[in-house]
Amino acid sequence: MDLVPDLEEAVRGHLADLGFDVRSIGEPGSGFDLVLTHPSTRVALGVAIMAALPSHGQAKLPAGKVVVAAPNVSPQQGARLRAAGAVGFIDAAGNASIEVDGLYVHVEGRPPTRLSRAARLEASRGWSSRPTGLQVLLSLLTHPELLDARLADVAAMADVSVATAHRVLADLTSQGFIEGRGGSRRWLDRAGAVRAWIEGYTRTVAPRAKESAYVTDVPPTEWESRITAAGVPAWVTGGAALAALGSGLRPVSATVYQPGTPRGAPTGARLARPRAGETPTLFIREASWHPDAYPPGLAPELLVYADAMSSGDPRVISCAAEVMRDVPDLRNALAPR
């Protein structure tokens, strides 16, 4: 039985393989996590991701043409989902049955999968503790104006669906981090939210970061200035960022975020894949925010700190604690309680 590290990621991949266009767009309160379209029909389908299906009775589904995504869906559960109003389902293994408005998709026989322990734990937590929720929280912490912005603006900056932004804000409210509604929200415990973000990021996001390793003749300490000069959407983090901040650290490699799946150098520098026994000097990671969210150059200070803490390098960790101790959010969040 295969382990699935992330249900949404697995489902997205299977739906794309089936020819669907998958978008993270929804409306607050709709209950949808994704929206699907298919070249054979203009109908938009909503996807409701469920960490578990009820063993008896019918699942409560959002209104509309909904496809249910779950770790595993048995034939009996599939029948109950259709009885509850779903137009189909898909599971983490890729088994699917979708039938609506002339569109017919059927895949069966793939062996069942199960969520990894991290994914099961993640599903049991509030929305603000999930990877997409942490994206929203980082955007709120690094863009003060977003706290009073429209849900659509929050979602666009964090590169998540409107429905996800709505759920995260509701979860942050229920946990006592913020209060109020659109246009009148305010922080009740910003320091606590910073601590929650750092803990969530270092536990669930950093270990699963998508990155590609390269060797290059560009010194690690030069990436920040090159990216800034080029004005391309890319951001240096970790030890190389600390060096750019004047720490005196001499990193042996640089880590750079850029939008989309990592494919190559953000400034056109020559890169090569490391040969056997060769030490990478550049790691390119996929950025989980809108390309216009931050000026090119350095990643947000909170992210630089969290990546340094996740590096496992005592020099980088010590340097981050020293260099970033005067960042207001970090000073307040990490002060003795």
Side-chain angles (χ1 to χ4, degrees), residues 189-277:
D189 185 8
R190 184 181 175 93
V194 172
R195 286 192 295 272
W197 181 83
I198 293 173
E199 194 274 335
Y201 177 86
T202 56
R203 184 191 66 244
T204 64
V205 177
R208 291 157 53 182
K210 295 179 181 179
E211 67 179 21
S212 300
Y214 299 94
V215 290
T216 175
D217 57 0
V218 178
T221 54
E222 288 188 12
W223 281 106
E224 185 271 337
S225 58
R226 282 184 172 232
I227 289 170
T228 301
V232 295
W235 305 269
V236 179
T237 189
L242 293 172
L245 290 170
S247 67
L249 189 70
R250 294 180 178 273
V252 296
S253 65
T255 300
V256 176
Y257 286 97
Q258 66 179 42
T261 303
R263 292 188 178 90
T267 62
R270 292 184 178 181
L271 304 181
R273 293 289 187 177
R275 299 174 181 174

Side-chain angles (χ1 to χ4, degrees), residues 10-22 38 90 93-94 107 110:
V11 167
R12 278 176 173 270
H14 294 314
L15 288 168
D17 290 343
L18 291 170
F20 285 96
D21 176 36
V22 187
H38 195 276
I90 185 166
V107 180
R110 296 185 178 181

Side-chain angles (χ1 to χ4, degrees), residues 26-32 62-63 151 162-164 166-167:
E27 294 300 327
S30 69
F32 295 148
L151 280 172
V162 175
T164 294
H166 173 74
R167 288 166 173 163

